[in-house]
Amino acid sequence: IHCDETVVQVLKEPDKSATSHSYMWVQSGGQPNQTVTLFDYRSSRSGRVPLELLQGYRGYLMSDGYEGYNAIAQHDGIEHLCCWAHVRRKFVEAQRAQPKSKNTKNNAISKADMALNYIGKLYGIEQRHKAADVATRYQHRQQESVPLLNQLRAWIDKTLVTVLPSGKLGEALQYLHKYWPKLIRYTERGDLPIDNNRAENAIRPFVIGRKNWLFSDTPQGANASAIIYSIIETAKTNGLEPYAYLRKVFTELPAAKTVEDIEALLPWRAAKE
């Protein structure tokens, strides 16, 4: 399961000011032929929320480095992975923060450039074997990615002591060092993701929409938004055109009499039709 969260403003949330932040949480997972994206509204970003949303789950959990996922990650049966895209983003920020004179002096490769070069090679391995079966991808990860990660680890150990922890480069290095055990776990199998882009892609339409509608009036409205976004984004991941799918649901759902009738309208069932 991929997890992510983003802010949402709710004007009439009890015991909170109208300008305070609440959160929309997203979970994305499921089998390749039965993918699910779920949005859930909560008034807080507390670590209690993942504990509630993922209660009873056993398996791999992919997230960014937000520490609110640490509590659920401690549960038996949860294997926590962290996202390489977030690491790359931090080194891009460090690269942009470099004084221009350092970028051009003697054509020297900066430490941020070096880290991005390693990360780029890791992504290159993933891209080359994207279409391979799980067993083949695992083999290539062991043969290509693991030795490269060992080189990167050695570079980190050598570089950490030469860079102050303050500043963009120091922050990026400390982030990479802190989450290293969770970052390298994707090589344990051939079907594990290298990053959390699946959840970020799922939550992006909500973030873009938020720029237009700005806020929800009430928690009930935010919950209704979560339901609609869940339906539409799950339809999209199952290859359905959302408007056509919603027409089908709104037309046939009133006539549904049994659980089987309702389940027949789930996106992966409708996609087969």
Side-chain angles (χ1 to χ4, degrees):
I1 291 181
H2 295 249
C3 286
D4 201 5
E5 73 289 330
T6 190
V7 297
V8 59
Q9 185 179 357
V10 177
L11 301 185
K12 297 174 183 174
E13 178 67 55
D15 303 320
K16 294 184 70 173
S17 69
T19 57
S20 64
H21 282 163
S22 296
Y23 290 86
M24 192 67 76
W25 295 73
V26 65
Q27 306 159 75
S28 188
Q31 300 299 322
N33 60 347
Q34 188 174 313
T35 56
V36 180
T37 298
L38 288 178
F39 287 74
D40 286 276
Y41 168 71
R42 293 294 186 274
S43 62
S44 80
R45 201 188 182 201
S46 163
R48 294 191 301 271
V49 177
L51 286 171
E52 178 184 338
L53 296 179
L54 297 171
Q55 183 178 9
Y57 174 65
R58 297 293 181 270
Y60 285 89
L61 168 65
M62 166 61 81
S63 74
D64 58 23
Y66 173 48
E67 294 187 357
Y69 294 104
N70 288 351
I72 186 65
Q74 298 301 316
H75 281 211
D76 291 340
I78 298 287
E79 307 292 344
H80 194 195
L81 301 96
C82 276
C83 171
W84 274 99
H86 279 77
V87 176
R88 181 170 58 184
R89 205 168 296 151
K90 289 185 177 295
F91 279 104
V92 168
E93 292 173 0
Q95 187 184 53
R96 291 172 179 167
Q98 292 171 159
K100 290 185 178 180
S101 59
K102 288 188 177 182
N103 289 340
T104 58
K105 184 178 179 181
N106 299 325
N107 293 320
I109 299 177
S110 71
K111 292 180 176 64
D113 293 333
M114 184 69 71
L116 288 169
N117 184 47
Y118 276 114
I119 296 169
K121 289 180 178 178
L122 290 171
Y123 270 90
I125 294 168
E126 294 302 302
Q127 185 62 36
R128 286 196 299 275
H129 307 296
K130 184 177 181 179
D133 59 65
V134 171
T136 302
R137 193 180 307 117
Y138 170 74
Q139 183 179 10
H140 283 289
R141 284 177 172 179
Q142 293 298 305
Q143 294 175 348
E144 301 175 52
S145 302
V146 170
L148 187 61
L149 286 166
N150 290 337
Q151 293 176 33
L152 177 55
R153 181 70 252 184
W155 178 83
I156 295 168
D157 293 338
K158 182 175 69 173
T159 306
L160 267 174
V161 297
T162 68
V163 177
L164 293 173
S166 58
K168 292 296 184 181
L169 179 59
E171 290 175 3
L173 282 166
Q174 291 295 331
Y175 187 94
L176 177 55
H177 173 67
K178 178 178 180 179
Y179 294 105
W180 181 260
K182 297 178 181 180
L183 286 163
I184 64 174
R185 297 204 62 181
Y186 79 96
T187 61
E188 293 177 1
R189 290 167 45 156
D191 57 346
L192 296 176
I194 191 174
D195 57 35
N196 200 30
N197 283 353
R198 178 170 174 171
E200 292 195 4
N201 290 338
I203 212 167
R204 186 172 293 115
F206 180 88
V207 174
I208 294 172
R210 185 181 59 203
K211 294 179 181 179
N212 295 310
W213 47 258
L214 302 179
F215 56 82
S216 290
D217 187 48
T218 65
Q220 290 86 349
N223 281 316
S225 294
I227 293 169
I228 294 297
Y229 272 99
S230 297
I231 293 171
I232 290 176
E233 292 305 313
T234 298
K236 287 162 62 176
T237 63
N238 284 273
L240 295 171
E241 196 282 313
Y243 180 69
Y245 174 65
L246 288 176
R247 282 178 60 92
K248 176 182 176 65
V249 170
F250 290 142
T251 300
E252 299 182 17
L253 186 59
K257 303 297 183 183
T258 65
V259 172
E260 289 74 17
D261 292 339
I262 295 173
E263 289 184 343
L265 295 173
L266 291 170
W268 47 89
R269 294 279 294 276
K272 293 180 180 179
E273 299 178 13

